């Protein structure tokens, strides 16, 4: 089963995303702070991370930067606010981003797209 980490400190949003992703058939783990999220990336077999840019503890920037500096290629979708520049998200190695507030359908489409790319890469490397 595809495993997604939702790292988001807004409890209502994190729980909503967990419910929506579970409904779509994904296994979901939730972290409400950056340190817990970073530990989860090391202990869990994750297929994708949805990561809040401003999560307390370790920021989304720090987590993304750390994962990419250790050659971890897991897809990362950063969540941030409109006043944040698009390049800020992508410069740290995120695969995609969404500005809050966002439509859940848009997030689900991005999740599906990045998981599909990962699956295609896995299959092509297997040959």
């Amino acid at each position: 089963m595809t495993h997604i980490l939702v790292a988001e400190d807004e409890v209502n949003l994190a729980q909503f995303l967990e419910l929506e992703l579970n409904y779509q058939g994904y296994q979901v783990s939730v972290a409400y702070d950056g340190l817990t999220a970073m530990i989860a990336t090391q202990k869990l077999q994750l297929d994708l991370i949805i990561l809040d840019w401003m999560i307390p503890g370790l920021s989304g920037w720090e987590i993304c930067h750390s994962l990419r500096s250790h050659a971890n290629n897991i897809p990362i979708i950063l969540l941030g606010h409109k006043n944040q520049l698009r390049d800020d998200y992508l410069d740290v190695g995120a695969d995609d981003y969404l500005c809050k507030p966002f439509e859940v359908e848009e997030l689900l489409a991005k999740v599906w797209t990045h998981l599909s790319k990962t699956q295609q890469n896995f299959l092509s490397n297997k040959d």
Side-chain angles (χ1 to χ4, degrees), residues 6-80:
V6 173
E8 170 61 61
D9 63 313
E10 294 178 36
V11 175
N12 290 337
L13 177 57
Q15 290 174 346
F16 174 74
L17 293 177
E18 180 181 22
L19 286 172
E20 285 292 325
L21 292 164
N22 280 328
Y23 182 76
Q24 297 297 319
Y26 301 116
Q27 178 182 355
V28 181
S29 295
V30 178
Y32 296 103
D33 64 80
L35 182 57
T36 304
M38 195 66 204
I39 292 168
T41 67
Q42 297 165 355
K43 294 190 178 223
L44 301 174
Q45 188 68 26
L46 298 169
D47 298 292
L48 185 132
I49 300 170
I50 299 170
L51 178 60
D52 182 23
W53 179 259
M54 298 291 289
I55 196 165
L58 293 172
S59 70
W61 183 92
E62 291 170 308
I63 294 167
C64 196
H65 180 73
S66 177
L67 291 172
R68 294 307 187 234
S69 68
H70 290 96
N72 186 324
N73 293 325
I74 187 169
I76 300 171
I77 300 171
L78 279 172
L79 304 178

Side-chain angles (χ1 to χ4, degrees), residues 91-106:
D91 284 348
V92 296
D95 297 278
D96 217 329
Y97 72 98
L98 274 172
C99 293
K100 295 177 186 178
F102 56 85
E103 298 292 327
V104 71
E105 292 81 10
E106 186 178 7

Side-chain angles (χ1 to χ4, degrees), residues 103-114:
E103 298 292 327
V104 71
E105 292 81 10
E106 186 178 7
L107 176 65
L108 293 173
K110 288 177 181 283
V111 166
W112 185 86
T113 298
H114 289 290

